[in-house]
Amino acid sequence: MKQIKLQPLNQEVEVSTDSTLLSVLLEQEMNVLQACGGQGRCATCHIYVQSGKEALSPKSEQEILTLSFITTSQENSRLACQARVLQDGLVIEVPQGMYIGSIGELKSLIGKRAQQNLIHPLTGDVLVEEGKLILRSALEKMAEIDSTFTTDLSQILLPPEKSKVLHK
């Protein structure tokens, strides 16, 4: 068993060697969306390693690719579904709030109060603050972010002539 610390909860937990950080977060009953089912493709389990990054498995190519699209990604960013605990001494920071994986998911919450900040997974933008009523304007904000992100992404990944065809 390995010891890790979860921030900002200031909670120490024991985990089995080779467990993913996602399994640890779920065991602690933290609300992690895991929209892609733990495949490292959606960024809804993005966390930060405060110390002990050597206690984790190396980043996979998929994780590196997904993290490259996240605007809030930092050197110490990891996807909890991809990072496996190998040693003691790890301290991770879980962002305050819940990532929203799709407009459909956000739409199902309209009319309710946000139990915690609702966060866009790729930009880290707060769509709805904790305690606020979830309104249709949050859908518009998410759609605007998604549209801007898709446009930016297509300009990075596609040759200029094909990018123009997509945005006519």
Side-chain angles (χ1 to χ4, degrees):
M1 298 295 279
K2 306 297 181 209
Q3 290 279 90
I4 67 170
K5 192 170 197 175
L6 306 175
Q7 294 292 6
L9 306 173
N10 202 25
Q11 179 179 4
E12 285 199 29
V13 296
E14 275 193 352
V15 301
S16 299
T17 302
D18 211 34
S19 295
T20 64
L21 288 176
L22 178 60
S23 67
V24 173
L25 297 177
L26 294 174
E27 285 173 15
Q28 297 304 309
E29 298 181 5
M30 298 184 84
N31 196 357
V32 181
L33 183 58
Q34 59 181 326
C36 71
Q39 299 298 308
R41 299 182 191 285
C42 71
T44 58
C45 66
H46 177 219
I47 56 97
Y48 299 101
V49 178
Q50 288 186 336
S51 64
K53 69 179 181 178
E54 63 281 347
L56 291 173
S57 59
K59 293 177 184 174
S60 67
E61 287 184 31
Q62 179 61 52
E63 183 177 9
I64 292 167
L65 178 64
T66 301
L67 288 171
S68 73
F69 295 125
I70 303 172
T71 59
T72 56
S73 182
Q74 301 172 8
E75 178 69 27
N76 64 338
S77 289
R78 290 299 304 260
L79 299 179
C81 68
Q82 300 297 297
R84 295 191 173 280
V85 179
L86 304 177
Q87 300 173 26
D88 287 318
L90 179 65
V91 179
I92 64 168
E93 178 185 348
V94 180
Q96 297 266 355
M98 183 176 98
Y99 291 115
I100 294 295
S102 69
I103 288 179
E105 181 187 353
L106 185 58
K107 192 176 209 176
S108 71
L109 298 173
I110 288 182
K112 299 177 183 172
R113 290 216 178 269
Q115 299 297 311
Q116 53 192 317
N117 286 345
L118 301 181
I119 306 168
H120 193 282
L122 298 175
T123 64
D125 289 351
V126 174
L127 300 167
V128 181
E129 292 179 10
E130 179 179 348
K132 300 281 182 166
L133 193 61
I134 302 168
L135 304 171
R136 292 205 174 274
S137 59
L139 291 175
E140 294 165 7
K141 184 175 181 180
M142 187 165 188
E144 181 181 318
I145 292 169
D146 287 352
S147 175
T148 301
F149 181 78
T150 302
T151 300
D152 293 346
L153 184 61
S154 69
Q155 291 172 353
I156 293 168
L157 297 178
L158 294 174
E161 62 277 0
K162 288 190 179 180
S163 180
K164 288 177 188 170
V165 172
L166 288 176
H167 301 289
K168 281 189 177 179

